[in-house]
Amino acid sequence: MNKQGNSFQILASGSSGNATVLQHGETNVLLDMGISLTRVKKALRELGLGFEDIDGVVLTHEHSDHIKGLEMLVKYHPDVVLYASKGTQAKVPKNARVKTIARGKSFEIGALTCHPYETQHDANEPLGFRFEGE
């Protein structure tokens, strides 16, 4: 799939790690970064993408199976913007570029509108998302 497609690609799902790529037109969003940077880069290459094509990384919560790869991501790709609740930010690398998000407050990443909502989970301010494209 090229950068101009529309897709939802699950890169990993489960207790060993979670990461999903959402593509809508030219907008590319990574939902969670719970696997290694190496694995994500390999999966992105298979989609015809690199981190320079990622418009943002949206984080659901701070458990390691959702943020495991963040430290290396921020180290090697410091310009990538992370979107996280205040509770989730407690576990995000300090030098990361972070935009604070909150339930009920929609935000845009490129051509996608993200609608965060509260979820029940044993985490600090976890969020679920509904994504809507133009």
Side-chain angles (χ1 to χ4, degrees):
M1 163 115 0
N2 64 31
K3 292 187 278 185
Q4 310 225 339
N6 296 311
S7 71
F8 181 86
Q9 299 287 329
I10 297 171
L11 308 183
S13 178
S15 59
S16 62
N18 295 276
T20 301
V21 174
L22 291 88
Q23 293 180 277
H24 181 71
E26 294 185 16
T27 300
N28 301 291
V29 172
L30 184 62
L31 180 62
D32 286 330
M33 183 71 187
I35 57 177
S36 73
L37 179 60
T38 302
R39 280 183 66 191
V40 172
K41 281 184 172 183
K42 181 177 185 266
L44 289 175
R45 274 194 308 272
E46 291 173 5
L47 295 171
L49 301 170
F51 264 102
E52 66 277 1
D53 301 307
I54 298 298
D55 298 297
V57 178
V58 178
L59 302 172
T60 58
H61 64 287
E62 78 280 6
H63 288 169
S64 65
D65 61 325
H66 291 263
I67 65 164
K68 191 182 318 182
L70 280 184
E71 193 169 318
M72 290 294 109
L73 172 64
V74 170
K75 179 177 179 178
Y76 291 104
H77 300 280
D79 292 335
V80 171
V81 178
L82 308 179
Y83 294 81
S85 68
K86 283 218 180 272
T88 298
Q89 288 177 33
K91 298 287 183 163
V92 167
K94 299 297 180 214
N95 56 333
R97 291 181 58 199
V98 183
K99 291 193 177 185
T100 302
I101 57 175
R103 67 183 167 101
K105 298 198 187 289
S106 298
F107 61 98
E108 292 181 3
I109 302 175
L112 285 172
T113 301
C114 309
H115 304 281
Y117 57 89
E118 182 178 11
T119 61
Q120 299 300 312
H121 194 43
D122 63 339
N124 190 5
E125 204 177 350
L127 295 172
F129 299 92
R130 181 173 57 86
F131 293 90
E132 197 172 37
E134 297 176 0

